[in-house]
Structures are given as C-alpha cells and as structure tokens.
C-alpha cells in the first residue's frame, strides 16, 4: 500500500481529497477514499480508505481509517484497522489501535498502543 519512505503517497489508491499546505480546516471529515493532509485539521477524520499526513501536516483529530502513513504531527487517537506507518519525521501524541504498526527510527510516539491482530492465542497465556 505504501511507497518508498521518500514519497508519502499510497500505491494503488488515487488520492481523493487533499488539504494543502496553506489550508487549515476545523470540523469533521467523512470520506470513502484516500485523504492527504499537508495543512492543518482539527476535528474528527473518518474514511474507509487511507490517510497520508505529509511532513507539513498537523492534525488535532480523532482519526479512524483503514491505513495511515504519517510524516507530520498528529495529536489525538488513531484507529487504523489495517496498518499505521510512522515515518522518521512523524510525531504522534495519543493512543493508537492498529492491525500492524511500523515506526521509523527517529519518529516520536507518546501514548498507548493496542494491536488487534494477535499472532499468539491469548487463551494459552
């Protein structure tokens, strides 16, 4: 789903919504496809698709997505049913609930993490 770490854009899905670097948006965003944010967003963000937060992106948001690639800053909880990838420039302050988590060297993550894809049968513990 994700390109090389030098590019912050998903493979396969076309970006349906872009909030540009010079744009600030307050309120709820609900979408079906991929969203890219290079500007600022405050509120709730929900999509059945993916989220890409560019290096200049700053979110103060409750995020619910399929997958997310974060290069910027997110303050708020993130629920990614599939994958969350934090690039080295990422800063995430909030709890996350993910299927798969990748954290690049240098990324900042402060919060609790719940991974919903268990590889060990918890009944045997």
């Amino acid at each position: 789903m994700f390109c090389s770490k030098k590019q912050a854009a998903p493979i396969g899905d076309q970006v349906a919504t872009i909030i540009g670097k010079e744009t600030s948006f307050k309120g709820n965003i609900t979408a079906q496809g991929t969203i890219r944010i290079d500007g600022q967003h405050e509120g709730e963000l929900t999509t059945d698709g993916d989220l890409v937060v560019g290096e200049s992106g700053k979110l103060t948001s409750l995020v619910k997505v399929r997958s997310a690639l974060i290069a910027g800053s997110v303050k708020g909880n993130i629920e990614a049913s599939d994958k969350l990838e934090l690039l080295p420039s990422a800063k995430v302050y909030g709890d996350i609930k993910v299927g798969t988590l990748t954290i690049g060297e240098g990324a900042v993550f402060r919060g609790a993490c719940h991974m919903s894809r268990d590889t060990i049968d918890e009944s045997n513990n």
Side-chain angles (χ1 to χ4, degrees):
M1 181 194 113
F2 299 111
C3 288
S4 73
K5 295 188 181 193
K6 292 182 181 178
Q7 297 175 334
I11 300 173
D13 283 353
Q14 295 287 335
V15 176
T17 304
I18 298 174
I19 295 179
K21 189 174 183 177
E22 302 298 322
T23 303
S24 178
F25 181 82
K26 288 185 180 183
N28 298 337
I29 298 174
T30 303
Q32 297 295 316
T34 298
I35 299 171
R36 180 179 176 106
I37 299 180
D38 292 310
Q40 297 181 20
H41 174 255
E42 184 178 329
E44 291 186 21
L45 187 151
T46 304
T47 182
D48 293 334
D50 305 322
L51 170 67
V52 177
V53 179
E55 284 189 35
S56 61
K58 295 181 181 180
L59 281 70
T60 304
S61 307
L62 172 63
V63 176
K64 294 181 182 181
V65 297
R66 178 180 61 197
S67 295
L69 177 68
I70 311 292
S73 171
V74 178
K75 293 180 182 177
N77 297 342
I78 300 173
E79 289 185 29
S81 60
D82 189 20
K83 181 176 183 178
L84 173 62
E85 183 172 355
L86 305 181
L87 296 182
S89 59
K91 293 177 175 61
V92 174
Y93 304 98
D95 297 340
I96 60 174
K97 184 176 179 181
V98 298
T100 303
L101 175 64
T102 304
I103 301 177
E105 185 176 344
V108 174
F109 167 58
R110 290 193 185 146
C113 176
H114 174 78
M115 297 186 73
S116 57
R117 290 187 189 171
D118 296 324
T119 57
I120 299 172
D121 184 8
E122 291 184 8
S123 64
N124 291 332
N125 292 337

